[in-house]
């Protein structure tokens, strides 16, 4: 009996969480196919503990502050590296190339994990690698989706070193390029950091809409043709979106722009 009551209470919380507004007792009872008296009792009990709130004017219910506190604690404890692991492995197997995930650290792309396919020679970027942000796919992704003020600060702090003849070293040109990355939702390193290596990456967002990482795939340029990059793009974007959802990001198809507004990420 207690297990059934708990299951009903959890269903109530789920129903309230899926509703952007409020719900009345009759609506919840009808939606969950429960009797009104049981729904009313459970709601009153959960209200006393702060898990739901009742509007004193409309008598309708919504999730309470206690649920927000618990959700925030759960999200803070979720480890990005651990959460990303299955997505890295899947990308490596699907593409046949090495996949990576990086975060922004000291104004550079800090590689926190990677996965290699079972066969073949791959482009290796050891965990702990610090790479420049202006000429790597992961780095450009991490910078492109930052708020404008922070993006300018990051770019001003670094030197646009020409690692290859393809490296973008013109500040204005780099800003335009990053605008394109943000618009397209994906960044490509076309032998800009190392001759013979091409990469593609997409942003990972956390629960509050801020970019917290970048996930991508790298490979030798003879294998990584334009055709393969086009084929990988939806896979990399998809992995980034699924990982973002795992981290609590709920804005389906949208990211936070430098001005704070939502912009569509093309898929």
């Amino acid at each position: 009996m207690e297990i059934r009551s708990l299951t009903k209470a959890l269903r109530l919380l789920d129903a309230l969480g899926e509703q952007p507004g409020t719900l009345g007792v009759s609506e919840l009872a009808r939606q969950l196919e429960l009797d009104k008296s049981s729904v009313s009792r459970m709601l009153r009990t959960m209200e006393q503990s702060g898990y739901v709130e009742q509007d004193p004017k409309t008598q309708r219910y919504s999730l309470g502050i206690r649920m927000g506190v618990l959700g925030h604690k759960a999200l803070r404890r979720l480890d990005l590296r651990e959460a990303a692991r299955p997505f890295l492995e899947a990308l490596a197997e699907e593409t046949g190339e090495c996949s990576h995930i990086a975060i922004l650290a000291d104004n550079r792309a800090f590689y926190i994990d990677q996965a290699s396919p079972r066969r073949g020679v791959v482009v290796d970027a050891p965990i702990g690698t610090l790479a420049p942000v202006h000429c790597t796919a992961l780095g450009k992704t991490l910078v492109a989706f930052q708020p404008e003020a922070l993006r300018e600060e990051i770019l001003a702090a670094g030197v646009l070193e020409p690692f290859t003849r393809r490296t973008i070293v013109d500040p204005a040109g780099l800003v335009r390029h990053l605008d394109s990355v943000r618009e397209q939702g994906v960044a490509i390193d076309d032998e800009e950091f190392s001759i013979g290596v091409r990469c593609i990456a997409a942003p990972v967002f956390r629960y509050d809409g801020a970019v917290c990482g970048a996930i991508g795939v790298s490979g030798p340029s003879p294998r990584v043709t334009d055709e393969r990059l086009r084929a990988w793009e939806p896979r990399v974007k998809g992995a980034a979106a699924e990982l973002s959802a795992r981290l609590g990001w709920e804005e389906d198809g949208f990211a936070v722009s430098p001005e704070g507004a939502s912009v569509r990420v093309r898929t």
Side-chain angles (χ1 to χ4, degrees), residues 59-80:
Q59 304 298 304
R60 294 165 68 86
Y61 288 88
S62 61
L63 291 180
I65 190 64
R66 182 64 180 163
M67 291 298 298
V69 172
L70 290 176
H72 181 67
K73 288 181 177 179
L75 289 169
R76 288 183 62 187
R77 291 175 181 173
L78 188 59
D79 181 78
L80 175 61

Side-chain angles (χ1 to χ4, degrees), residues 81 98-114 123-133 135-139 142 163 189 193-194 197 199 214 218:
R81 188 167 181 261
C98 198
S99 60
H100 313 274
I101 186 163
I103 62 174
L104 192 63
D106 193 26
N107 294 330
R108 289 179 287 180
F110 180 62
Y111 289 64
I112 61 174
D113 204 1
Q114 69 172 13
V123 173
D124 181 54
I127 298 171
T129 295
L130 278 168
V133 294
C135 58
T136 58
L138 292 170
L142 289 167
F163 287 91
D189 165 9
F193 182 46
S194 179
V197 176
C199 317
S218 302

Side-chain angles (χ1 to χ4, degrees), residues 16 19 21-28 43 47 53-62:
L16 289 170
Q19 174 66 31
T22 58
L23 288 171
V25 174
S26 297
E27 292 172 282
L28 285 164
L43 288 171
E47 183 184 13
E53 295 177 353
Q54 185 184 42
D55 187 309
K57 294 183 179 180
T58 65
Q59 304 298 304
R60 294 165 68 86
Y61 288 88
S62 61

